[in-house]
């Protein structure tokens, strides 16, 4: 269902590229154009709409990843792995899968709102593409504004040279996207710092004990790793991390 919804969002966004073409008013997108020449033969060509759609689909994943909760989740999980000191366990593929599914869980209210207010009315031809695009961007705008710090937003407003904006609705979407990603990076590293602290304490204790025993040649990381894993498992660390990440978007 999520893949179908993302594809529908791609169709809505594609219509912006066709806003000044005659094909914009068509209810669908013609895949192939058939032209009859003077000799009675026919030539087939792919329409510009399909080429634009294929191009948009390559950019859409990057846009969705930077407009959703994926960035914060992926960075926190990567820092958690470094704090544990387990090397490549869990692997990048596992962390990527966890981040994607947790992102879908967190963003599902936004996706459902976009689907009900923009995608379905557009597919039923109740609204035009301009209205559909405006309605589709509004849930993402509200989500991103809620997670963006005012300091980061003011920074990009100052850099862009925009005059003082009266309200959040006046913030350009491109400016909001830059501020949102910057704010997400800052939040992710703050969470990662808090995750590092208990494991850092274990490393310091183990290093102090080994030094007091004169075991200089033994790496503290080898000794502290089992204790860090045991602490993480006994504290039900994965559940706590997932709950904390989801709650950080709903509470903030």
């Amino acid at each position: 269902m999520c893949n179908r919804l993302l594809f529908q969002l791609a169709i809505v966004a594609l219509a912006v590229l066709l806003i000044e073409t005659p094909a914009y008013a068509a209810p669908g997108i013609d895949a192939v154009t058939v032209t009859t020449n003077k000799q009675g033969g026919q030539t087939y060509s792919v329409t510009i709409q399909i080429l634009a759609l294929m191009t948009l689909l390559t950019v859409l994943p990057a846009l969705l990843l930077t407009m959703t909760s994926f960035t914060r989740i992926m960075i926190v999980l990567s820092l958690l792995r470094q704090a544990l000191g387990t090397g490549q366990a869990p692997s990048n593929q596992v962390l990527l899968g966890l981040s994607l599914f947790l992102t879908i869980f967190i963003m599902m209210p936004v996706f459902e709102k976009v689907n009900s207010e923009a995608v379905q009315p557009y597919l039923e031809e109740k609204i035009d593409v301009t209205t559909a695009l405006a309605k589709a961007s509004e849930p993402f705008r509200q989500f991103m504004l809620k997670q963006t710090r005012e300091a980061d937003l003011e920074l990009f407003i100052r850099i862009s040279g925009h005059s003082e904006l009266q309200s959040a609705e006046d913030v350009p979407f491109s400016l909001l996207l830059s501020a949102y990603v910057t704010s997400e990076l800052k939040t992710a590293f703050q969470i990662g710092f808090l995750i590092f602290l208990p494991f850092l304490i274990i490393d310091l204790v183990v290093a102090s004990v080994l030094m007091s025993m004169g075991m200089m040649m033994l790496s503290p990381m080898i000794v502290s790793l089992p204790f860090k894993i045991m602490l993480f498992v006994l504290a039900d660390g994965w559940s706590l991390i997932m709950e904390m990440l989801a709650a950080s978007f709903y509470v903030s």
Side-chain angles (χ1 to χ4, degrees), residues 2-36:
C2 182
N3 291 334
R4 176 185 175 188
L5 178 57
L6 295 181
F7 184 74
Q8 291 173 341
L9 288 175
I11 295 177
V12 175
L14 171 67
V16 178
L17 301 177
L18 313 176
I19 196 167
E20 295 181 356
T21 62
Y24 160 73
I29 299 177
D30 298 328
V32 178
T33 300
V34 181
T35 305
T36 303

Side-chain angles (χ1 to χ4, degrees), residues 106-122:
I106 294 173
M107 299 298 298
M108 189 54 65
V110 177
F111 292 153
E112 291 176 349
K113 191 173 182 180
V114 171
N115 184 47
S116 61
E117 296 183 359
V119 177
Q120 293 303 324
Y122 173 72

Side-chain angles (χ1 to χ4, degrees), residues 31-71:
V32 178
T33 300
V34 181
T35 305
T36 303
N37 53 34
K38 296 180 180 180
Q39 289 76 23
Q42 293 180 335
T43 58
Y44 300 88
S45 61
V46 179
T47 60
I48 190 64
Q49 293 94 329
I50 293 298
L51 294 177
L53 177 60
M54 295 172 62
T55 303
L56 180 64
L57 289 177
T58 61
V59 181
L60 185 62
L63 294 177
L64 290 177
L65 294 180
T66 54
M67 292 167 56
T68 63
S69 57
F70 180 84
T71 301

Side-chain angles (χ1 to χ4, degrees), residues 49-234:
Q49 293 94 329
I50 293 298
L51 294 177
L53 177 60
M54 295 172 62
T55 303
L56 180 64
L57 289 177
T58 61
V59 181
L60 185 62
L63 294 177
L64 290 177
L65 294 180
T66 54
M67 292 167 56
T68 63
S69 57
F70 180 84
T71 301
R72 183 190 304 185
I73 297 172
M74 189 63 189
I75 292 177
V76 169
L77 293 181
S78 299
L79 292 176
L80 171 64
R81 183 175 63 183
Q82 294 186 22
L84 285 171
T86 54
Q88 294 299 316
S91 63
N92 292 330
Q93 292 83 353
V94 174
L95 295 184
L96 181 62
L98 287 174
S99 301
L100 286 175
F101 282 105
L102 188 57
T103 298
I104 293 174
F105 170 76
I106 294 173
M107 299 298 298
M108 189 54 65
V110 177
F111 292 153
E112 291 176 349
K113 191 173 182 180
V114 171
N115 184 47
S116 61
E117 296 183 359
V119 177
Q120 293 303 324
Y122 173 72
L123 296 178
E124 296 172 2
E125 300 182 11
K126 296 180 179 178
I127 57 177
D128 58 13
V129 65
T130 306
T131 306
L133 186 61
K135 290 182 176 292
S137 62
E138 188 60 27
F140 283 99
R141 173 185 289 272
Q142 295 299 326
F143 173 81
M144 295 165 66
L145 280 173
K146 188 177 180 181
Q147 307 299 327
T148 304
R149 292 179 172 84
E150 292 185 4
D152 296 326
L153 197 56
E154 293 174 356
L155 169 66
F156 283 94
I157 291 175
R158 185 172 65 254
I159 293 176
S160 62
H162 282 80
S163 57
E164 196 68 26
L165 301 176
Q166 300 298 326
S167 61
E169 286 73 17
D170 299 331
V171 179
F173 201 84
S174 58
L175 191 151
L176 175 60
L177 180 61
S178 302
Y180 170 75
V181 174
T182 304
S183 185
E184 284 294 282
L185 290 174
K186 185 182 299 184
T187 302
F189 277 93
Q190 288 178 347
I191 297 175
F193 170 77
L194 296 177
I195 292 176
F196 254 95
L197 287 180
F199 300 110
L200 179 61
I201 293 175
I202 294 178
D203 288 334
L204 291 176
V205 171
V206 171
S208 300
V209 171
L210 292 178
M211 186 174 297
S212 64
M213 296 175 63
M215 304 175 67
M216 304 295 184
M217 303 301 295
L218 182 61
S219 174
M221 296 295 297
I222 299 178
V223 180
S224 63
L225 179 58
F227 291 100
K228 291 190 289 187
I229 295 178
M230 180 182 65
L231 172 65
F232 190 70
V233 172
L234 292 178

